[in-house]
Amino acid sequence: MTKFDKLFKKLCDQTTSTNTSCKEFTDLLESLGFQIVSCGTAGHKIAKHSAITLTEYPDYNCGHNPGTAIKRPYIKKLYKFVKQHEDAIKEYLK
């Protein structure tokens, strides 16, 4: 199993979890090569990836506390994004 496959499985598992913390989710995205940018509002983040050129990247919200559980719709949105750009991310992780 490749590094991408292991990380993607963790992300997939988080789509059904009700207790994924913002820190855990952010760490996983960073392991996949994302750069996490704070947007200035409390807890709002944008996940950018240098292997993917877009004008708009997916975002998520951690609330006011990094230990807060992240809402599943955000996890699912990032999961779909990673799945859509799987080849570029795999190449980046090599």
Side-chain angles (χ1 to χ4, degrees):
M1 189 177 273
T2 67
K3 178 181 179 179
F4 174 83
D5 293 332
K6 290 176 187 175
L7 294 170
F8 190 68
K9 179 170 179 354
K10 283 184 183 179
L11 183 59
C12 182
D13 291 346
Q14 287 182 356
T15 63
T16 59
S17 172
T18 57
N19 293 327
T20 301
S21 72
C22 183
K23 179 174 179 4
E24 182 181 2
F25 184 62
T26 299
D27 289 348
L28 177 58
L29 292 177
E30 288 174 339
S31 296
L32 283 163
F34 284 88
Q35 295 84 41
I36 308 303
V37 180
S38 292
C39 293
T41 58
H44 190 82
K45 314 233 181 260
I46 295 176
K48 294 184 176 185
H49 201 289
S50 60
I52 304 162
T53 306
L54 297 173
T55 56
E56 189 173 318
Y57 290 90
D59 63 329
Y60 63 100
N61 193 329
C62 290
H64 297 283
N65 180 353
T68 302
I70 192 160
K71 294 180 181 175
R72 270 191 269 169
Y74 291 120
I75 298 171
K76 288 179 179 181
K77 178 173 38 173
L78 267 295
Y79 171 82
K80 288 177 186 177
F81 182 84
V82 170
K83 188 170 182 140
Q84 180 181 4
H85 298 284
E86 180 176 344
D87 292 337
I89 295 171
K90 277 184 180 178
E91 187 63 31
Y92 176 85
L93 291 175
K94 282 186 180 179

